[in-house]
């Protein structure tokens, strides 16, 4: 009987909470910013670097809109560009050296059609990650 107790306890949980939402959280369907070390840049030389995102454990991650926000100080001469197709791009010609901490925040929303949402629910709809940009 002890062996079956966890299964017996999970039955009411699944029946009351809707199986799809629970399975999405067990599978961990959520937005993710890729971990990476940003390339080192040099003063007065063109710099370009991209941070990409995806929906973890979701094969249709292009079926979401990606909204980015970047906070923190960028080196003078470097600008941030947002691509709703899953990218944040830093580019320009830096005019100052140093180490710059940048926080990237991501929120995603599913596409909708005339029948409602095109894809399933997410376990979470946002995430953030810190990156360091070094300019020599």
């Amino acid at each position: 009987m002890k062996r079956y107790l966890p299964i017996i306890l999970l039955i009411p949980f699944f029946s009351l909470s809707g199986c799809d939402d629970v399975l999405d959280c067990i599978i961990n369907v959520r937005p993710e910013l890729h971990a990476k070390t940003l390339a080192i840049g040099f003063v007065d030389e063109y710099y370009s670097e991209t941070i990409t995102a995806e929906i973890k454990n979701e094969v249709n991650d292009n079926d979401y809109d990606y909204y980015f926000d970047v906070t923190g100080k960028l080196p003078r001469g470097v600008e941030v560009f947002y691509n709703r197709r899953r990218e944040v791009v830093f580019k320009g010609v830096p005019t100052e050296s140093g180490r710059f901490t940048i926080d990237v925040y991501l929120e995603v929303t599913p596409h909708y059609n005339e029948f409602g949402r095109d894809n399933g629910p997410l376990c979470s709809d946002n995430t953030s990650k810190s990156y360091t940009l070094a300019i020599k």
Side-chain angles (χ1 to χ4, degrees):
M1 180 66 175
K2 277 187 165 185
R3 198 167 84 187
Y4 298 108
L5 187 59
I7 295 170
I8 293 170
L9 292 174
L10 285 176
I11 290 172
F13 177 72
F14 282 115
S15 63
L16 294 174
S17 64
C19 204
D20 287 341
D21 293 344
V22 172
L23 287 177
D24 284 333
C25 286
I26 290 172
I27 297 171
N28 202 14
V29 178
R30 61 179 172 77
E32 180 176 68
L33 290 161
H34 295 148
K36 72 181 294 182
T37 301
L38 299 180
I40 296 172
F42 299 93
V43 171
D44 296 328
E45 290 185 18
Y46 182 76
Y47 181 84
S48 180
E49 182 65 275
T50 302
I51 295 172
T52 57
E54 69 178 341
I55 306 296
K56 182 178 179 182
N57 298 317
E58 170 65 83
V59 296
N60 298 314
D61 52 0
N62 281 330
D63 292 342
Y64 294 82
D65 289 319
Y66 291 70
Y67 300 97
F68 296 97
D69 189 27
V70 173
T71 59
K73 183 179 182 291
L74 288 172
R76 283 187 308 271
V78 175
E79 296 181 65
V80 63
F81 298 89
Y82 304 101
N83 178 347
R84 288 203 180 174
R85 293 319 290 165
R86 306 176 11 185
E87 296 179 335
V88 175
V89 180
F90 301 97
K91 60 183 174 178
V93 179
T95 59
E96 66 177 317
S97 62
R99 291 177 59 82
F100 303 87
T101 301
I102 303 159
D103 296 312
V104 178
Y105 176 81
L106 167 64
E107 184 174 351
V108 297
T109 58
H111 290 193
Y112 290 87
N113 62 24
E114 65 272 14
F115 305 109
R117 190 165 47 195
D118 280 347
N119 37 23
L122 296 168
C123 194
S124 170
D125 65 355
N126 63 68
T127 189
S128 63
K129 191 175 290 288
S130 292
Y131 299 89
T132 300
L133 171 55
I135 303 294
K136 294 184 177 190

